[in-house]
Amino acid sequence: MELHDVWFVLIAVLWIGYFFLEGFDFGIGVLTRLLARDRAEKRVLINTIGPVWDGNEVWLLSAGGATFAAFPEWYATLFSGFYLPLLLILVCLIVRGVAFEYRAKRPEESWQRNWESAIFWSSLLPAFLWGVAFGNIVRGVKIDRDMEYVGNLWDLLNPYAILGGLVTLTLFTFHGAVFAALKTLGDIRERARKLALRLGVVTAVLALVFLGWTQADKGDSTSLAALIMAVIALVAAIGANQAGREGWAFALSGITIVAAVAMLFLTLFPNVMPSSLNDDWSLTVTNASSSPYTLKIMTWCAVIATPVVVVYQAWTYWVFRKRIGTQHIAEAVH
């Protein structure tokens, strides 16, 4: 296996880690409006991700940085062609971080309500847009012989990509509902489990259509195995949730995300960004990669740094592993 193949796999792992962790993060943000009944319950939901949400975004930074260094042609074409959607995602992530920090800085009802609305929308939009973006990457976009995107914004809003956006939105929200049931106490925990059931059924239908469409269009035996794993894990997650086994349900919903994203990368390889105009103009792991020397240096850096990051983040989750409820929410002091 060549180093550019190794880095394609590593970038896939980084995106899988990001969607696994930030997925329930986005889901919790959406659930602040769908699940929480009052301000105390909203604070409970936000507090479940309060210690970890910023650490989860490290995986996005790592995936973007690795793509820039390992596949500069892919990075350039992707960020120039998908400029507006990616800019919108970036703005949402900035607003979301500010909203978490500023929501409780003042006691006025309107102040807190506006920041809570910002949390909802800045969680919902990226959850949808990431699916649209990856749907277009897998489907193929208008890339010319100079490796430049020559389409427009409306080309990205095709039925396949929109379906992909709906899948990521519902899957992340289901993942968040299962996480809420795992991390909370009392009535909100029970309602999270009931909502997770409804979300799981909707997600299963949409995901089966989207992944089946992907398999029929670009799949092979390995991607089929990933599709089957994703479907089985999602059904099992719904069952575990109904049985009150929140830990198993969360692990299985995470496996669903892992298998689904892995399937997309399996159907993509050896391309990194297919051209819908001419297959010969597609960006591949070969023509879009950096020099072997650059990839070698990056590999040594990754071998040293990655375990440290993983261990530290795992320790953070262990420290903040306990459930919380409305009884743990103190009155705000301003």
Side-chain angles (χ1 to χ4, degrees):
M1 180 181 286
E2 300 289 338
L3 278 179
H4 50 65
D5 298 329
V6 172
W7 273 96
F8 179 87
V9 174
L10 290 176
I11 289 171
V13 170
L14 290 172
W15 280 110
I16 288 171
Y18 174 66
F19 287 139
F20 181 100
L21 297 172
E22 193 82 331
F24 71 77
D25 230 329
F26 288 142
I28 290 294
V30 174
L31 291 173
T32 57
R33 179 165 295 185
L34 300 183
L35 179 62
R37 288 179 174 174
D38 53 33
R39 179 135 295 117
E41 290 190 350
K42 289 181 180 180
R43 290 176 64 187
V44 167
L45 290 176
I46 293 171
N47 286 357
T48 62
I49 61 172
V52 298
W53 69 267
D54 48 355
N56 294 343
E57 292 185 355
V58 170
W59 291 80
L60 173 61
L61 298 176
S62 300
T67 303
F68 172 77
F71 299 100
E73 292 290 351
W74 184 13
Y75 182 92
T77 304
L78 176 65
F79 277 78
S80 60
F82 292 22
Y83 180 81
L84 286 178
L86 293 178
L87 177 62
L88 182 56
I89 290 174
L90 177 61
V91 170
C92 286
L93 295 180
I94 293 171
V95 170
R96 189 165 172 266
V98 173
F100 283 140
E101 298 298 329
Y102 274 71
R103 178 188 57 85
K105 295 298 184 183
R106 290 172 58 177
E108 291 88 347
E109 176 78 15
S110 60
W111 171 273
Q112 296 191 8
R113 185 174 61 250
N114 289 337
W115 284 119
E116 287 162 0
S117 295
I119 291 173
F120 171 77
W121 287 109
S122 60
S123 299
L124 184 148
L125 288 174
F128 174 74
L129 290 174
W130 279 127
V132 173
F134 272 83
N136 277 293
I137 291 173
V138 172
R139 173 179 175 268
V141 292
K142 294 179 179 179
I143 299 174
D144 65 10
R145 65 173 68 248
D146 297 320
M147 298 185 180
E148 294 182 359
Y149 178 72
V150 293
N152 55 50
L153 177 63
W154 303 112
D155 292 327
L156 303 179
L157 300 177
N158 55 80
Y160 176 80
I162 291 174
L163 178 59
L166 293 175
V167 170
T168 53
L169 175 58
T170 55
L171 179 56
F172 291 168
T173 309
F174 169 71
H175 196 39
V178 172
F179 182 76
L182 175 66
K183 288 287 291 179
T184 58
L185 293 166
D187 182 57
I188 191 172
R189 174 187 177 188
E190 296 302 318
R191 285 188 281 113
R193 285 173 51 194
K194 293 178 181 178
L195 181 59
L197 172 62
R198 298 195 293 272
L199 289 169
V201 172
V202 175
T203 302
V205 173
L206 293 174
L208 188 59
V209 175
F210 178 72
L211 297 180
W213 188 346
T214 305
Q215 176 65 27
D217 190 35
K218 296 178 177 292
D220 56 17
S221 57
T222 55
S223 61
L224 178 60
L227 185 156
I228 293 172
M229 181 182 296
V231 172
I232 292 175
L234 180 55
V235 173
I238 296 172
N241 174 74
Q242 281 301 99
R245 304 296 297 273
E246 289 102 341
W248 279 105
F250 179 72
L252 288 164
S253 67
I255 292 173
T256 303
I257 293 175
V258 170
V261 179
M263 180 193 173
L264 296 182
F265 277 95
L266 286 169
T267 59
L268 190 59
F269 186 82
N271 294 321
V272 294
M273 207 164 176
S275 172
S276 60
L277 300 178
N278 189 324
D279 289 340
D280 293 336
W281 299 343
S282 296
L283 302 183
T284 68
V285 293
T286 304
N287 65 19
S289 69
S290 294
S291 67
Y293 182 74
T294 300
L295 296 178
K296 183 178 180 180
I297 297 298
M298 289 175 58
T299 302
W300 280 110
C301 293
V303 168
I304 295 170
T306 303
V308 176
V309 173
V310 172
V311 169
Y312 173 76
Q313 193 163 23
W315 176 78
T316 303
Y317 276 91
W318 175 255
V319 170
F320 295 100
R321 66 189 181 277
K322 293 183 179 181
R323 296 177 183 268
I324 62 173
T326 53
Q327 66 269 33
H328 298 119
I329 302 298
E331 289 295 327
V333 178
H334 299 276

